[in-house]
Amino acid sequence: IQALNEALAADADQVLVLSGDLKRLRFKIHNTSEPPQSEIYYAVDAGKLTESTLQQLKLQLSAVTKLRVAQIDAQEPLENYGIDSVMITQLNQKLAETFGELPKTLFFEHRNLTTLTEFLVDHHAAACARWTGLDNERRGPSKRDLPWQPAVGSTVATLASPRMSATSTLPHRRRNSGKQVRDPIAIIGLAGRYPHAETIDEFWANLVAGRDCITEVPADRWSLEGFYQSEVQEAIDQQKSYSKWGGFIDGFNEFDPLFFGISPRNAANIDPQERLFLQCVFSALEDAGYTRQRLADAHQGRVGVFAGITTTGFDRYGLDLSPARHAGAPHTSFSSLANRVSYFLDLHGPSMPIDTMCSSSLTAIHEACIHMLRGECDLAIAGGVNLYVHPSSYVLRSAQRMLSAHGQCKSFGQGGDGYVPGEGVGAVLLKSLCKAIEDGDHIYGIIKGSAINHGGKTNGYTVPDPNSQAAVIAQTIKESGINPRTITYIEAHGTGTSLGDPIEIAGLTKAFDQFTQDKEYCAIGSVKSNIGHCESAAGIAGLTKVLLQMREKTLVKSLHSQELNPNIDFSKTPFTVQQDKVPWQRPRLNIDGTTREYPRIAGISSFGAGGVNAHVVIEEYVPRDEVSGATAIS
């Protein structure tokens, strides 16, 4: 009955509901050597096909790992066999000879040979039969072998797997209930500094101009002498950096300590990241029209501070015991990043530093929303900061082969070989939407939903997992109560690596496919192509870009993507890389039989190297006096 209900609800001209014994796998292929009307049917024992396919995979893995087939356990995580990106490339090439074009992320999505076998049998049964030689066991159009008899000219449904229900063959099921499970949160203040941009307006000017803000390491940071080695392996062996490029903030160490009630001597020993974040928060409050007195009078200081940070290095300059320095001690304190703000502004809400590596600031925004919804604070300040003040940061990332050797972050572009380090600081002031409307606040955008998760154990500690990325994105979409078909832009993590970018697209596609089968309708880009990867400030940089695009009703170009990553087939995804500056139009769609205009909606992703994934959905704020009868609003 459930299968029948699903079939009747499907958007298909013809449906087929089956009941019976699925222990035997039956599938249909077209014989290219005969006229198209001719069809050949095979009946293959499902267990035998699975067993034979697994054996073939063991042979392939044995060939690249040099292990005996008997040593390979189908349940053992592939990482335990020392599988790396080179081996994965070899395995992908071998499988392509049999199965044609397969996702390059296959060995990241499946942790062992058992799940990989199930995928191949589920989705490529005919190829598995040919690969294992089982396609020769039984063949012919004998009607007694068929579980049903197709009418002349009809389309015959196919059961791809004995584990697959009849409803699994249906092309599309609308699963979004449209219910919103949490109150929206408004962004009423915004500030930030990024490479070659002291304000968000200068930041926008760089984005509109399509400016690459990457330069060589400035002389006021450290000398390139004894630091840079162009040959990658030599740089690693000599504990040097093979990258000398980055996106750097001008005047990063300029600070007025007395304005913030700090003695000059103490300020000199505080990490510049802490000083920069304090300045940025003050600017965000000014942008929203808030003073310390207003925070105290209107909200009794019930304001939370959530600050993302992950980079160290300032404390490496060591303790100076000379009398002239009065025992100065440069230090980095993650907790002080948030606590300093709370202390200066006399705030009494939660005050939390957050380090989830590259997803820190987006995780900080999620945590701010959660604490507001719990009633632990009336307002929340959230953001992140990232500076490179010591060469050790580059040396460490070079040792991990994370950096681009060419100084360009080619998000979704051909030839991406790693990311370029970038600096940034950003902060937002958050308030419940209903209260923001009541108080007449300027609203940059609405946080419709947010979620975080962890990838668990993968094929390596820093190896991303497309399944967990898909899960966090799908969770955010469901929580936001929106139809993902109305999302028209994704600000991606997009670090610009040959395999990292395909993994991200695989996760996004898997998430969106749960709701819609439409292709190439949603633009995608990454601010990292302009300013580099700001690590703990990457999420707030992406959010700022989205809010500015909404403010200006314009999508800007994602750089270095004229030639797309060949490992990604965008025609099979909902996404298209934004390669030009264009007006950002509100989508006008027919959903559930009603045609109307929807607000501009964007998703923002941020994935930490340690496995923490974060996603946020942002909707433009449409004041009620601007809403036409055909526009859907919050």
Side-chain angles (χ1 to χ4, degrees), residues 296-594:
D297 293 345
H299 302 282
Q300 293 74 51
R302 285 176 45 82
V303 182
V305 180
F306 304 84
I309 182 172
T310 196
T311 301
T312 59
F314 182 65
D315 51 349
R316 283 178 172 265
Y317 286 102
L319 182 67
D320 187 349
L321 297 177
S322 64
R325 285 284 294 149
H326 304 286
H331 62 275
T332 299
S333 169
F334 283 10
S335 60
S336 188
L337 183 72
N339 298 168
R340 181 80 64 179
V341 172
S342 300
Y343 174 81
F344 173 68
L345 296 171
D346 192 21
L347 306 178
H348 305 290
S351 188
M352 299 172 56
I354 293 172
D355 178 14
T356 57
M357 299 190 192
C358 311
S359 57
S360 296
S361 57
L362 210 61
T363 300
I365 292 168
H366 168 75
E367 286 296 315
C369 293
I370 295 301
H371 282 77
M372 288 180 67
L373 294 171
R374 288 176 180 168
E376 296 177 8
C377 49
D378 296 338
L379 303 176
I381 298 162
V385 62
N386 193 63
L387 288 176
Y388 301 101
V389 296
H390 194 278
S392 59
S393 297
Y394 273 67
V395 174
L396 174 62
R397 288 155 180 77
S398 290
Q400 295 170 319
R401 295 181 181 267
M402 290 182 171
L403 303 184
S404 168
H406 304 101
Q408 288 185 333
C409 194
K410 298 183 177 181
S411 306
F412 308 114
Q414 184 176 22
D417 62 341
Y419 75 81
V420 180
E423 296 183 338
V425 59
V428 290
L429 181 62
L430 307 179
K431 193 177 190 177
S432 70
L433 177 60
C434 60
K435 188 62 175 173
I437 295 173
E438 178 184 328
D439 293 345
D441 293 311
H442 170 71
I443 300 174
Y444 283 95
I446 304 166
I447 299 178
K448 296 285 289 184
S450 65
I452 60 173
N453 72 4
H454 193 278
K457 191 170 179 61
T458 63
N459 289 332
Y461 180 63
T462 61
V463 175
D465 173 43
N467 297 315
S468 61
Q469 291 179 8
V472 79
I473 294 165
Q475 180 183 345
T476 308
I477 291 172
K478 292 173 183 176
E479 180 183 292
S480 68
I482 65 170
N483 188 318
R485 184 59 182 83
T486 64
I487 298 175
T488 49
Y489 180 74
I490 292 290
E491 176 63 22
H493 189 58
T495 53
T497 59
S498 59
L499 281 176
D501 286 357
I503 288 173
E504 180 172 6
I505 294 298
L508 277 163
T509 301
K510 185 172 293 188
F512 274 58
D513 279 352
Q514 297 180 36
F515 307 93
T516 177
Q517 298 297 308
D518 290 352
K519 306 300 181 187
E520 295 187 286
Y521 68 86
C522 181
I524 191 170
S526 176
V527 72
K528 293 177 180 64
S529 66
N530 300 91
I531 62 173
H533 183 9
C534 296
E535 300 197 39
S536 50
I540 189 67
L543 173 63
T544 301
K545 175 184 172 182
V546 166
L547 294 175
L548 294 175
Q549 287 187 142
M550 285 182 173
R551 185 187 74 178
E552 304 297 331
K553 302 176 177 60
T554 302
L555 294 176
V556 297
K557 178 180 180 180
S558 193
L559 307 184
H560 313 308
S561 60
Q562 293 85 352
E563 295 184 27
L564 296 175
N565 187 323
N567 294 326
I568 306 173
D569 186 354
F570 281 98
S571 67
K572 297 179 180 178
T573 77
F575 312 106
T576 176
V577 178
Q578 189 61 40
Q579 296 179 316
D580 297 292
K581 184 191 75 171
V582 298
W584 188 359
Q585 305 290 354
R586 290 176 180 160
R588 189 169 182 82
L589 304 168
N590 186 317
I591 296 178
D592 296 328
T594 302

Side-chain angles (χ1 to χ4, degrees), residues 95-217:
L95 290 181
E97 296 174 3
T98 299
F99 296 92
E101 196 65 28
L102 287 173
K104 298 297 187 295
T105 59
L106 205 59
F107 287 90
F108 296 95
E109 296 181 59
H110 302 281
R111 292 188 53 213
N112 56 49
L113 291 186
T114 296
T115 61
L116 179 55
T117 301
E118 291 172 354
F119 170 82
L120 292 175
V121 172
D122 279 356
H123 299 280
H124 302 277
C128 286
R130 290 193 299 271
W131 195 29
T132 59
L134 295 178
D135 59 332
N136 294 318
E137 289 197 356
R138 288 182 63 184
R139 75 163 54 200
S142 171
K143 292 181 180 180
R144 68 176 183 273
D145 288 338
L146 303 178
W148 68 88
Q149 296 183 18
V152 177
S154 69
T155 300
V156 181
T158 301
L159 290 183
S161 165
R163 301 183 299 104
M164 184 182 293
S165 67
T167 57
S168 298
T169 65
L170 299 176
H172 174 52
R173 286 178 282 171
R174 296 185 181 91
R175 304 182 186 180
N176 185 39
S177 64
K179 293 181 180 179
Q180 190 169 310
V181 297
R182 80 179 204 186
D183 295 329
I185 291 175
I187 300 169
I188 63 170
L190 175 66
R193 289 177 63 181
Y194 299 97
H196 301 307
E198 292 192 7
T199 66
I200 59 172
D201 288 329
E202 291 181 7
F203 181 47
W204 175 249
N206 290 337
L207 295 177
V208 169
R211 187 169 295 130
D212 187 336
C213 299
I214 302 303
T215 63
E216 289 192 1
V217 176

Side-chain angles (χ1 to χ4, degrees), residues 586 588 596-599 620 622 626-634:
R586 290 176 180 160
R588 189 169 182 82
R596 58 180 179 175
E597 184 180 85
Y598 289 83
E620 71 167 326
V622 183
E626 296 181 13
V627 178
S628 67
T631 303
I633 65 169
S634 299

